[in-house]
Amino acid sequence: MGTNTPNNEKPPTAAKSYTPLFETNRRSTQSQLLNKLFAATVFLGICSIWFYRFTHPNPTTHRWVWVGALFAELWFGLYWVLTQAGRWDPVFRSTHKDRLAAAHPDKTLPGVDVFVCTADHTIEPPILVVNTVLSLVAYDYPPDKLAVYLSDDGASEFTLYAMLEAARFAGSWVGFCRRFDVEPRSPEAYFAAAAGEKSEGGGGGWEEELVAVKKQYEEMKDRIESATQLGRIPEDALLQHKEAFSHWDGNNKYSWRRDHPTILHVNPPPADGVNGSSLHLPTLVYLAREKRPQYHHNFKAGAMNALIRVSSKISNAPILLNLDCDMYSNDPSTLRDALCFFMDERKNHDVAFLQLPQMFDNVTKNDIYGSSLLVISRVEFPGLDSFGGPMYIGSGCFHRRDVLCGRDFDPNGSKLDWTNYGRDHEHTVEQLEREAKPLADIASDHNTLWGTEMGLKYGCPVEDVITGLSIQCKGWKSMYFDPKREAFLGKAPTTLPQTLVQHKRWSEGDFQIVLSRFSPAWYASGRISIGLQMMYLCYCLWAPNCLAVLYYSIIPSLYLLKGIPKLTCSSINHNLLLQISSPWVLPFAYAVAAKYLYSLAEFLCSGGTILGWWNEQRTWLYKRTCSYLFAFVDTILKTMGLGESGFVITAKVADEDVARRYDKEIMEFGVSSPMFNILATIAMLNLFSLIGVVAKCLVAKDGVGVRVVFDEMGLQLLLCGALVLINWPLYQAVFFRKDKGRMPGSVTATALVSALVVCTSFVFLY
């Protein structure tokens, strides 16, 4: 019998149901099984290659060649094993912003502080920074809960002037965005997309308002660029913001960047709305932290830590978002997407940070420099997410303030208490500036816990990666979210030198982590999952890749030129690379073909093109023979105390000629560089080797030379031919092009002489 309740009693209330704010999906079981079976067959092929190399040693006269091949193949195989962790069980997340809105009205949402970092107004133009700031100010979020901080590590008066101009223009721009729900909300990007288009349901008056707001933007842009080009701030701005600009009076601008006090300017929105309307704006803050020559300023990590401290006094939001100055918001609802992860009732307690992918709006159709990092964003980072979350990559990342400030993970209670955070409404702007300013001084950072136990870690060029790793080693997790509409869009490098230098800095910093006490090889052992540990090693070991790639880019081609595929005449089993007729060629052929076909499939499924994949392979080769080589050497020297870390800023703009060639997907060389000397020399060496062996075949009698080449040296010929083919844009730059982006004559001469000397010496002396 059922139990009845008395008439005067109400039945017990059911427990409040849980509604998730985000979902996690995985690939189908069949798809995962097929992928793992495929990986197993490739690994079997790799093991067969290792077995062959171990059981077929070369004679002692050429032992070093065999040892080199052995170590290269061991490295390629083991590194491939590391990469499989990111493909083992990827997860894909989606959000429910409608549920967030139902559960948390705007007035109950937490505050968000957005940090934008710039360091040099000559490389990162103020108008570029302004567009990023304006896209953030226009977020679809309660303005009283949003603050945008601009860190200017170059202490440029022109960057401050640009921000003040942006604050004036923000009222018109934000009002326009909200009335017509425009996307994206970077003015430059929106006007470029809207050129020649009609309103997409924007409502009456869209075209008229578009013309008016664009005119205001162009006027603002002209003022900013004119001030930068002329090297002086307009008099009316100096008078209106006399106190803000007083810091630059009579100072030497060059030394000023490295020796100046803290400059802090808070730009509060009008209390009664823009021009007395109902439109309200977020708070804008400019910060140039104190710098002195005798103290290391710790680059971007130091700037971020200063922002964390200063913002704790001004707005003190519990959620922080950091962006590079060129990474504008492409989706005004991104903050609400992020909060779905941090405000989920059951799954938010252990989430320290949420990483979104870095995408670019200037990547060409076939991505000439492989800048989009499609496979990392669409394949590997979802795989990292299944093992405890992706690494922190420096931009497009949401953080919990308490975790960045050093909070330890407690499995029994690490939820974020929103009530402990919020703005101080009792103090005036002047009082807030006065109290917050000392927090950006050197005294608040030097010889404190900042950079060690609190904030971003110091002492590494990739402060983001090592910071994320240390957070995850405490027990915290991260999550990865790749929305259908890109959340942020930035500027990819538009020249080959920029690309190589950028990857040199990344790989050098990652390799330094391996050799530090925070190495994922030992420090992370037992603290994070094995799969996550493997993927950290995969990225942190980029630099040592140079050794194996250099070996296979040079030695087989030299032996091809010499015409001695076998390192002994006594047995065909002692080849550097196998004969085509040998049964051992099958595992070599399968492992290589399977690896590259799978790579092509991944790239195409991630949204790339076949030509884009080919360009990616060329960039892969150039990074490993140049960027990673310099990173490897510099890191070893630094470890030995013979060097120190630096920080190189990637240029965000290019001149018209460079931009035109980039749009046409013509590779840009144009400058003399030690990296180009290496690239061109290796390319010439392979070209000479291919020409040499073809010439030998042509002069041989009765076709004997051709048969010998294809039977005895077939694999070496294929490898050399592939290297020559992939270097075709470099040969064009050396021999055929006449534009300013061609290979400099000094590099060409050095490469030709060096390659000729190496080839001649090897053939006649070795």
Side-chain angles (χ1 to χ4, degrees):
M1 292 179 60
T3 304
N4 296 323
T5 58
N7 293 333
N8 60 345
E9 292 183 21
K10 294 182 180 180
T13 304
K16 183 180 178 181
S17 61
Y18 162 67
T19 304
L21 299 182
F22 69 91
E23 292 183 3
T24 302
N25 299 298
R26 284 178 160 82
R27 292 188 304 197
S28 65
T29 304
Q30 295 86 345
S31 176
Q32 290 190 51
L33 180 60
L34 287 174
N35 183 69
K36 291 171 183 177
L37 287 173
F38 173 78
T41 63
V42 175
F43 183 66
L44 183 61
I46 292 172
C47 291
S48 300
I49 294 171
W50 290 343
F51 179 79
Y52 166 81
R53 192 60 71 184
F54 272 112
T55 56
H56 294 76
N58 284 103
T60 55
T61 54
H62 299 283
R63 180 73 64 178
W64 70 270
V65 181
W66 174 79
V67 171
L70 173 63
F71 277 100
E73 288 158 5
L74 281 172
W75 178 267
F76 287 142
L78 291 173
Y79 193 81
W80 178 87
V81 171
L82 292 178
T83 65
Q84 294 312 294
R87 292 155 175 81
W88 199 249
D89 184 23
V91 299
F92 306 93
R93 305 191 190 275
S94 57
T95 60
H96 298 288
K97 292 190 289 290
D98 54 336
R99 298 178 185 176
L100 175 71
H104 302 279
D106 281 2
K107 64 180 181 180
T108 65
L109 292 175
V112 178
D113 288 342
V114 186
F115 299 160
V116 179
C117 295
T118 184
D120 189 336
H121 78 275
T122 62
I123 297 176
E124 300 165 332
I127 192 62
L128 179 77
V129 179
V130 159
N131 272 274
T132 297
V133 169
L134 287 169
S135 72
L136 302 170
V137 168
Y139 263 135
D140 177 20
Y141 203 74
D144 61 319
K145 296 178 179 291
L146 179 63
V148 179
Y149 292 79
L150 176 59
S151 169
D152 179 16
D153 246 17
S156 169
E157 57 189 321
F158 304 108
T159 302
L160 173 59
Y161 174 64
M163 196 202 77
L164 294 172
E165 284 291 319
R168 288 176 53 192
F169 175 66
S172 300
W173 175 244
V174 174
F176 174 75
C177 291
R178 292 182 180 169
R179 280 192 294 276
F180 299 104
D181 194 25
V182 304
E183 293 177 353
R185 296 191 175 179
S186 161
E188 194 79 33
Y190 178 72
F191 294 141
E197 296 183 3
K198 298 295 182 182
S199 172
E200 299 180 359
W206 174 82
E207 292 186 40
E208 293 79 8
E209 287 208 37
L210 174 64
V211 172
V213 76
K214 186 175 181 181
K215 182 174 182 291
Q216 291 182 52
Y217 172 75
E218 293 295 340
E219 291 172 349
M220 177 194 70
K221 182 178 179 180
D222 288 342
R223 290 193 296 270
I224 293 172
E225 292 183 340
S226 296
T228 304
Q229 292 169 4
L230 294 173
R232 64 174 182 267
I233 305 299
E235 290 297 328
D236 58 340
L238 291 174
L239 291 173
Q240 185 177 358
H241 304 283
K242 186 175 181 180
E243 184 177 351
F245 288 108
S246 63
H247 299 281
W248 284 273
D249 289 347
N251 288 292
N252 180 287
K253 302 297 173 62
Y254 179 75
S255 62
W256 174 254
R257 292 178 54 188
R258 298 166 297 156
D259 189 5
H260 61 82
T262 296
I263 306 170
L264 177 64
H265 179 75
V266 180
N267 196 84
D272 55 352
V274 177
N275 297 324
S277 68
S278 60
L279 177 65
H280 292 270
L281 299 174
T283 299
L284 273 175
V285 180
Y286 172 91
L287 173 67
R289 62 191 170 113
E290 182 185 14
K291 284 187 179 180
R292 301 298 178 192
Q294 62 269 35
Y295 295 100
H296 199 295
H297 58 80
N298 295 301
F299 308 113
K300 186 178 177 181
M304 281 286 294
N305 288 344
L307 285 171
I308 295 171
R309 294 192 299 269
V310 168
S311 63
S312 68
K313 178 60 66 175
I314 297 173
S315 50
N316 197 34
I319 301 297
L320 309 176
L321 163 64
N322 85 279
L323 293 169
D324 289 340
C325 66
D326 65 316
M327 196 69 64
Y328 67 83
S329 168
N330 189 54
D331 185 350
S333 63
T334 296
L335 298 187
R336 297 178 185 270
D337 276 322
L339 290 181
C340 288
F341 296 92
F342 289 106
M343 301 188 74
D344 189 279
E345 293 180 6
R346 292 186 182 175
K347 295 178 286 186
N348 72 342
H349 69 284
D350 59 352
V351 180
F353 61 89
L354 173 72
Q355 181 65 61
L356 279 71
Q358 293 186 14
M359 297 294 177
F360 308 96
D361 66 356
N362 65 331
V363 172
T364 58
K365 178 183 177 182
N366 297 305
D367 195 7
I368 184 68
Y369 300 120
S371 301
S372 58
L373 306 176
L374 281 177
V375 172
I376 290 178
S377 299
R378 300 278 164 78
V379 177
E380 294 180 356
F381 269 34
L384 281 163
D385 204 0
S386 67
F387 289 116
M391 58 184 61
Y392 168 34
I393 56 175
S395 184
C397 191
F398 291 86
H399 294 270
R400 279 177 48 165
R401 180 185 289 273
D402 59 342
V403 177
L404 271 185
C405 288
R407 180 177 179 178
D408 291 325
F409 177 70
D410 181 0
N412 300 317
S414 290
K415 285 195 173 184
L416 185 57
D417 185 358
W418 312 105
T419 61
N420 290 335
Y421 298 88
R423 299 176 183 239
D424 182 355
H425 296 285
E426 297 180 358
H427 290 72
T428 65
V429 172
E430 291 75 15
Q431 289 174 321
L432 288 176
E433 282 188 356
R434 191 163 53 250
E435 294 180 10
K437 194 172 181 178
L439 299 178
D441 291 347
I442 291 174
S444 296
D445 187 83
H446 187 62
N447 289 332
T448 68
L449 294 178
W450 288 97
T452 55
E453 300 298 325
M454 300 172 67
L456 275 69
K457 301 292 183 185
Y458 293 157
C460 181
V462 285
E463 70 290 320
D464 42 15
V465 176
I466 196 169
T467 298
L469 175 60
S470 65
I471 288 173
Q472 290 171 325
C473 286
K474 289 181 178 181
W476 295 100
K477 297 188 185 311
S478 62
M479 287 190 178
Y480 183 67
F481 177 53
D482 185 7
K484 292 181 179 179
R485 179 181 176 88
E486 294 91 344
F488 308 106
L489 290 174
K491 299 295 180 187
T494 57
T495 69
L496 184 59
Q498 291 175 7
T499 302
L500 295 179
V501 169
Q502 183 182 67
H503 280 273
K504 188 260 183 185
R505 179 173 67 84
W506 289 350
S507 56
E508 182 179 351
D510 288 339
F511 192 39
Q512 286 180 18
I513 295 175
V514 171
L515 303 179
S516 73
R517 71 182 185 91
F518 291 103
S519 173
W522 47 80
Y523 177 79
S525 183
R527 291 183 168 96
I528 59 176
S529 65
I530 294 177
L532 188 57
Q533 191 177 1
M534 290 172 64
M535 285 307 295
Y536 265 107
L537 285 171
C538 177
Y539 297 123
C540 290
L541 291 175
W542 273 352
N545 266 306
C546 66
L547 303 178
V549 175
L550 281 169
Y551 180 90
Y552 260 92
S553 298
I554 297 173
I555 301 303
S557 295
L558 289 176
Y559 272 93
L560 177 67
L561 176 64
K562 190 173 178 63
I564 307 178
K566 296 179 291 182
L567 302 182
T568 177
C569 296
S570 61
S571 170
I572 63 171
N573 291 328
H574 291 153
N575 293 348
L576 174 60
L577 294 180
L578 289 163
Q579 289 180 306
I580 294 293
S581 58
S582 170
W584 284 104
V585 80
L586 293 177
F588 276 86
Y590 176 74
V592 173
K595 188 267 182 190
Y596 281 103
L597 287 174
Y598 188 83
S599 169
L600 174 60
E602 277 188 334
F603 194 84
L604 295 177
C605 291
S606 299
T609 64
I610 293 178
L611 185 53
W613 175 80
W614 182 247
N615 291 333
E616 176 91 3
Q617 303 313 301
R618 182 185 304 110
T619 305
W620 180 95
L621 176 66
Y622 289 176
K623 288 186 299 187
R624 281 156 179 76
T625 52
C626 287
S627 301
Y628 295 175
L629 174 62
F630 280 88
F632 181 81
V633 172
D634 285 356
T635 301
I636 297 300
L637 291 176
K638 180 180 181 297
T639 304
M640 297 169 62
L642 301 177
E644 60 181 31
S645 297
F647 189 90
V648 179
I649 305 168
T650 305
K652 304 300 190 297
V653 291
D655 63 40
E656 292 184 5
D657 286 343
V658 172
R660 190 159 45 247
R661 288 190 290 271
Y662 177 71
D663 290 338
K664 294 179 181 179
E665 298 191 331
I666 299 174
M667 292 198 79
E668 188 73 24
F669 297 90
V671 297
S672 296
S673 165
M675 290 188 180
F676 285 169
N677 288 335
I678 294 175
L679 274 186
T681 299
I682 294 175
M684 291 301 124
L685 186 150
N686 281 282
L687 182 62
F688 291 164
S689 298
L690 186 63
I691 292 173
V693 77
V694 170
K696 288 183 180 181
C697 290
L698 293 177
V699 299
K701 296 180 179 180
D702 302 324
V704 174
V706 175
R707 289 196 301 273
V708 170
V709 165
F710 281 99
D711 183 39
E712 300 284 329
M713 297 181 285
L715 291 184
Q716 286 160 260
L717 182 64
L718 286 174
L719 176 58
C720 185
L723 289 170
V724 169
L725 184 61
I726 206 167
N727 274 306
W728 176 244
L730 188 147
Y731 299 134
Q732 286 181 309
V734 168
F735 298 117
F736 305 118
R737 286 170 54 183
K738 302 299 181 184
D739 56 69
K740 293 182 179 179
R742 67 185 182 276
M743 187 70 77
S746 60
V747 174
T748 298
T750 301
L752 288 171
V753 172
S754 300
L756 189 60
V757 169
V758 170
C759 291
T760 305
S761 301
F762 190 85
V763 170
F764 292 105
L765 300 179
Y766 182 71

